[in-house]
Amino acid sequence: MKTLTLKDLNVKNKRVLLRLDLNVPLSSPDETGKRTITDDTRIREAIPTLEYLRTQGAKIIVMSHLGRPKAKRTSEDSLLPAAERIAELLKCDVTLADDCVGEGIELKAQSLVAGDILILENVRFHAEEEANDLGFAQSLARLGEVYVNDAFGTAHRKHASTYRLPSLMPHKAMGLLIEKEVRAFDALIKNPERPFALILGGAKVTDKIKTVNSLYRHVQTVMIGGAMAFAFMKARGDTIPASWKQPSDDDVTAAKQLIAEAETKGIRLILPIDTVDGCDIGPKTVSAFIEGLAGAKTVFWNGPLGWFEKPEYAKGTNQVAEYLSTQSSLRVVGGGDTVAAIHASGFAEKFSHLSTGGGAALEYIENGGLPGIAILQPQEYRPESQPFAMDEEVEG
């Protein structure tokens, strides 16, 4: 059945439980213990949904996690910086609760009026969140009347606030950000325009082998940079200098599989021709990548092509980003480090879509969907009688 979108719901004067991804990077504590947000992309991407709910007269109750507090209440993982940033961007008062469940929180939720925003404290302060606990989800459900998930970055989680809770709510939908993410990734995996080019970077081949295998059905050209390129180079018999990051045996094995599959499918693989100290692709490789991208109608980029945090090793990533910024093709970027690299390049606004999800983006490509989105379908669902597999802990 069709997953409802935010605009399919009647939210006027309704208490809306809104799951956002406010898991933003924070600075180290200063002398007063205060931490500041170093990248507010995920918060900014949530603003359209918050603005829409306010204009529709909803009473907004925000849920999110931040960091990995391991069920311990810590000031370092408080959502206070995110709450302050939301208040600043929306130019309105925002209340941060001291917890996310309990009688006191229920009273706060009941007292909200149209347009109010109540942010619940970090749901991962409770072990029941990651355990997908039914009782914890029922406590959250008592706070609201409508459920909206706009946290794409955690939609691959079978956690209480992303999976068990929506199964209990009769009225539910995806928010504007998830709708945008789904539209972008569906364009990649459902009859994409060809030629389709894939750019891969980062460190480990094994982390992305399922994603690459899924995309091999569609792509014609694959360009590989970053440290993961060394696994492919070693797989074809090249010697990797001792000063470079050495690939693991598992990564080399995975690279051999992908090389063989590419040959079978007639996919062109472009590996580095030169590097800058083994920390960035060199100018000849940049030229080869740009030549491989010429004429592409669809491009997916996952993984920076060098150690982009250091200016001397960011040139390859920046030059490929600059070239793509001039193209009219569908250009989708997925993965936290990749998005950060594109922002640092100065060409972010020229891309078709920069995803807020890391692991979620890859899993969407692999599986054609995510559990936190599938559970929003308007069908009877009783999770207490249905088994489910818990996910291994990955980024996000």
Side-chain angles (χ1 to χ4, degrees):
M1 296 181 68
K2 176 183 179 291
T3 302
L4 297 181
T5 65
L6 179 59
K7 294 181 181 180
D8 293 319
L9 296 176
N10 175 18
V11 299
K12 186 175 179 62
N13 289 319
K14 297 289 197 307
R15 297 190 312 279
V16 177
L17 282 164
L18 174 62
R19 182 50 159 100
L20 295 180
D21 183 6
L22 305 180
N23 185 32
V24 292
L26 300 173
S27 67
S28 299
D30 61 18
E31 61 276 6
T32 67
K34 183 178 177 62
R35 303 177 77 192
T36 57
I37 297 169
T38 58
D39 182 355
D40 67 353
T41 299
R42 285 176 171 172
I43 294 176
R44 287 183 175 275
E45 289 289 347
I47 294 301
T49 290
L50 286 165
E51 288 179 329
Y52 176 82
L53 288 170
R54 292 191 76 220
T55 60
Q56 295 299 307
K59 306 167 186 178
I60 307 164
I61 304 165
V62 175
M63 303 167 291
S64 182
H65 78 283
L66 193 151
R68 296 181 179 178
K70 297 182 179 179
K72 293 181 180 178
R73 184 179 295 273
T74 66
S75 59
E76 288 190 359
D77 293 310
S78 171
L79 286 170
L80 178 59
E84 292 175 339
R85 188 70 179 120
I86 288 173
E88 181 182 349
L89 290 171
L90 288 176
K91 296 180 173 58
C92 71
D93 292 333
V94 170
T95 301
L96 176 67
D98 59 2
D99 205 342
C100 59
V101 291
E103 291 184 6
I105 305 302
E106 290 179 29
L107 289 173
K108 285 182 182 291
Q110 292 287 347
S111 67
L112 295 174
V113 300
D116 280 355
I117 300 177
L118 171 66
I119 298 183
L120 307 181
E121 188 52 284
N122 195 335
V123 291
R124 286 194 185 175
F125 284 169
H126 296 261
E128 295 87 349
E129 162 66 4
E130 294 184 79
N132 199 35
D133 182 75
L134 175 60
F136 184 66
Q138 289 171 330
S139 296
L140 290 171
R142 285 195 289 271
L143 302 176
E145 302 161 277
V146 175
Y147 176 89
V148 175
N149 190 349
D150 212 23
F152 182 78
T154 59
H156 58 319
R157 302 286 189 209
K158 290 182 178 178
H159 288 177
S161 65
T162 58
Y163 195 72
R164 184 77 74 168
L165 172 58
S167 76
L168 304 175
M169 304 292 290
H171 306 292
K172 55 200 171 188
M174 58 183 171
L176 301 179
L177 172 59
I178 283 190
E179 186 179 0
K180 182 170 71 170
E181 296 269 14
V182 167
R183 189 162 53 245
F185 284 106
D186 279 354
L188 292 180
I189 63 178
K190 297 180 180 179
N191 196 30
E193 278 198 80
R194 301 184 180 190
F196 187 154
L198 173 62
I199 305 173
L200 291 175
K204 294 179 66 62
V205 184
T206 51
D207 287 348
K208 300 173 183 179
I209 188 168
K210 291 181 180 179
T211 304
V212 177
N213 276 327
S214 295
L215 289 174
Y216 264 10
R217 293 174 292 175
H218 304 295
V219 301
Q220 286 70 55
T221 305
V222 178
M223 286 143 280
I224 300 172
M228 71 182 298
F230 304 152
F232 284 84
M233 294 164 70
K234 189 170 183 178
R236 71 179 183 186
D238 296 352
T239 299
I240 307 302
S243 60
W244 296 7
K245 182 177 177 63
Q246 297 298 307
S248 69
D249 291 342
D250 286 345
D251 280 334
V252 174
T253 298
K256 287 180 179 178
Q257 293 173 1
L258 292 174
I259 290 171
E261 188 69 16
E263 290 176 353
T264 298
K265 294 182 180 298
I267 296 169
R268 181 187 181 196
L269 281 181
I270 303 177
L271 300 180
I273 302 166
D274 56 347
T275 77
V276 180
D277 304 328
C279 295
D280 191 15
I281 57 172
K284 292 180 181 178
T285 303
V286 170
S287 296
F289 279 22
I290 289 174
E291 185 271 331
L293 290 166
K297 299 293 185 182
T298 304
V299 178
F300 177 57
W301 185 348
N302 178 266
L305 303 177
W307 192 358
F308 75 95
E309 293 91 346
K310 291 183 174 292
E312 62 268 34
Y313 300 132
K315 290 181 180 179
T317 296
N318 292 346
Q319 288 170 351
V320 173
E322 181 178 12
Y323 172 77
L324 285 175
S325 74
T326 66
Q327 304 303 295
S328 59
S329 55
L330 174 68
R331 290 145 295 139
V332 178
V333 177
D337 286 345
T338 325
V339 171
I342 300 302
H343 276 294
S345 76
F347 300 105
E349 293 184 0
K350 301 292 186 179
F351 280 74
S352 308
H353 181 69
L354 274 65
S355 178
T356 57
L362 299 185
E363 287 196 28
Y364 194 97
I365 291 172
E366 292 166 19
N367 303 317
L370 299 172
I373 299 175
I375 199 66
L376 300 175
Q377 291 181 348
Q379 61 189 35
E380 184 176 1
Y381 188 87
R382 303 188 186 282
E384 59 268 28
S385 65
Q386 298 189 23
F388 56 87
M390 294 302 294
D391 300 310
E392 294 182 1
E393 188 64 29
V394 295
E395 179 191 355

